[in-house]
Amino acid sequence: MTRSLVLSLTLALSLTAVAADNSEYVALRAARPDGRTVAVSDLVLDRDAFRIHLRSGTVHFLEPVAGRTTGLVFTGDGSYELRPATESERRHLELLTGEKGLEMLSDRFDSIVLLFGDGTADEILKHAEAVVGAPDDRAKRIYEDYLKEQRNRYHLNLHLRVLRDLLDAPTGGVFVAAVNGKAHPPALLVHEPFGIGSLAAKYGFFGGEETAMIVFDQQKGGIWYLSGAKQTAKNGHGKPLRPLADAQHYSIETTIQRSEITGRATIRLIALADGLRVLPLHIMPKLRISGASYRVDGAEETKTAGIVQEDTELGRIARLFRYEGSDADAAVIFDESLKKGTKVELTLDYAGNEVLTNIGADTWSVDARDSWYPNLGTFTDLATYELTFRYPKRNHLISVGERVSETEEDSRKVAVWRADHPIRVAGFNYGRFEKKSQQDKESGMTVDVYSNRDFAKKSGDMMADAINSARVSTMFFGPVPYSPISVTQQVEWNFGQSWPSLVYLPTLAFTTSTERALEGFGPSAGDINEFVKTVGWHEMAHQWWGHHVGWESYRDQWLSEGLAEFTAALVLQFTESTKAYDDYWERKRRDILDKSRGGQVRNSEAGPISQGFRLSTHRAPSAAQTIMYGKGAYVVHMLRMMMRGGANPDERFITMMRDFAQSQAGRNPSTADFQKVVERHMTPQMNLTGDGRMSWFIDQWIHGIEIPRIRSEIGITDLGGGKYKLSGWVSQEGVSDNFRSPIPIYADFGQNKSARIGVMPVVGNNRSPIEVEMALPSKPRRIVVNLMHDILAMD
């Protein structure tokens, strides 16, 4: 059997996995160059920040589907250019390529594959007429190679996205160019009018920015470019996801048998777009959807929906030729076009493994963290839940919400958990646990701690951590959003996670320092002790930041992670000391200014906080964690320090944070929304631009990467009678001309006693003189600036 025959066979196998009535989708997957060609010369396709130049060669169209041409192969001489729309994206490309002063990224190619739902075919046919002949063998090979790349490298079903442009109401259409350039790694050049989050489920996290360059390379891969359209793009600003439907309620039935689950999910949803037929679903690829039906509100008839979900494996012959991919994005196809506002009840049957892994002795790892059930998007879409679990009765299961019943059925338990208030995601933990409970009157929270029997001796510490975090958080941010809270041990050693009303803590958190040393987590393993100390506080804080209050796009996720990290620092201050709190910021400062292990640039140079998880690249592997979490927390600390004053120094800051928590509850705020709240509570000393705005602060610290060097030399003269003269200067260096800092001046009296005695605003690289007389309770040991890490600085 020849290789080409094997490929034809595997493609046929792929198509058999698709429901028989999905004719347009089947045709899209089957379409190949059909012999229609256009000779092109100096043809330019402009798509927002991209310019694709087909210098000379031939366009080979794919066979039309439903009367429309949706793809092509170009062979010949071509090039592409990417001109970044914002400074932060230009800087990101400069970092990734190593090209100093880069203004435009460009590359050459001798072939390219385009898939599209826009007017690309008509644009090309205006350039020259098509000629009909026999399909070109090279063009066919290039397209077959592309299909293998789509499955094995991209892990995206881009045909599914094009299907929406065929079946749904007109939207402007997606444009995707798959290119293997000569200078840069293979990439997809994407213009998606609905935003990159609509291209495929795996990119839902990235929101609504329309233009992207996604690079596929083992070392350098990632999203090299992501921005809103050039006309509207703002430096560091994201856009919210534009969903097609809004889930109102999930009713999920799950049966656990060893490591396999079977499930039925019924989703009550509302269509958010006119003409909706294709509804993408989020579900892990190993879970296979076997049935889909729906009923439109008010109709008696239940209809069968088409299912799209490519096989993750295509059989032994396919695997022999390494042709097993996973472009397994899932969707259902409604039998009719739904109008905006239509209410639908969608029921899905599914089954599979890899949601759970047995570690041994009824110890289980829950590996699927957010799409162990079909959903319309986690963290962005709030809904109520009813979750019914059937599982072996010797085990325990803890879920989100409240357990409303637990019965036994033969050898199984049947437990029902319910979340009557809308939440962002559902999760559960599974295994054999011992439970301890406590109600804390001060915070109003009930805590249930579940630990494995061998680690139960540490459950009291986990209880104390949860209660301390709740007390500090209620003091600063307002009432506990969820109660009771289940704090559960998970088998992973160093990974925590928070769900609404459910917290995973790593096994490390349940160990003693001696046990950690015996397991190899000694002093040389890094600052593991601080992680163990703070991880519970951080994950508890996500009940407020991440669940009660969400975030708009990945550029705003620091509002979850940075605020959770800041909360951990607050708990450290109140459970230990102000010195411990100050030492915490010194460690964060050093982390920010250091290089990641294996990194080539400082974490601070990897990009701004608003670059989110894209900060982690081959040039700075750990920058996302350090900047989004650590620098994000530091920014909130700086706001706290700027707002301190009066008999209750934190009163204004607490009022601001409670305002943010209350006004944004159940919402997905952006950084701009957070800025508006800060502006409602800012002090006169924070008004450095005189316009009542905090744009100077947000632009510098969230959207910028500059960190100043702050110096001072201030002498003290005793004038008698409790009065002192301060003479000297304060300087700021290493920043741009408009960089502003309200530099705090402290009198240090020794023995950990100090007082802030003034603030010196400094703009740009300047040295400001100080000549002032003031009354002080005693002669200071020294006058110093930035004593409490008020401003993130190089020194």
Side-chain angles (χ1 to χ4, degrees), residues 174-185:
V174 72
F175 176 91
V176 182
V179 58
N180 290 329
K182 300 180 183 298
H184 299 298

Side-chain angles (χ1 to χ4, degrees), residues 382-399:
L382 283 80
T384 55
Y385 283 79
E386 182 168 296
L387 304 144
T388 302
F389 297 94
R390 294 174 173 85
Y391 53 95
K393 65 181 181 180
R394 67 180 177 274
N395 292 331
H396 304 95
L397 188 146
I398 307 97
S399 184

